[in-house]
Amino acid sequence: MTNSTLTNQNPEITNNYIIQLLEQLTIDYQNSKSERQAIAHQLPISEAEFKLLE
């Protein structure tokens, strides 16, 4: 959806769309935890997982 499409819609529809996106991002983030940890273990930097997500 484009920004102009969202602004022309009912606020409830926009809110539902944002909620769906957040739910999908949460699922993707949880599913990628093992991958992030594996990458963090390969990096010699402390707090590598956080810096990787930055």
Side-chain angles (χ1 to χ4, degrees):
M1 272 187 195
T2 65
N3 192 25
S4 61
T5 303
L6 288 174
T7 56
N8 291 332
Q9 290 181 340
N10 181 326
E12 184 177 334
I13 293 171
T14 303
N15 190 42
N16 288 339
Y17 181 71
I18 292 170
I19 290 169
Q20 289 175 358
L21 285 175
L22 179 58
E23 289 172 351
Q24 186 60 52
L25 285 171
T26 301
I27 291 168
D28 292 343
Y29 182 78
Q30 291 169 345
N31 288 342
S32 67
K33 182 177 181 177
S34 62
E35 292 176 47
R36 293 190 321 271
Q37 288 174 338
I39 293 169
H41 288 296
Q42 294 175 1
L43 298 175
I45 304 169
S46 63
E47 300 179 25
E49 184 175 4
F50 176 75
K51 291 182 182 195
L52 179 67
L53 293 176
E54 264 184 336

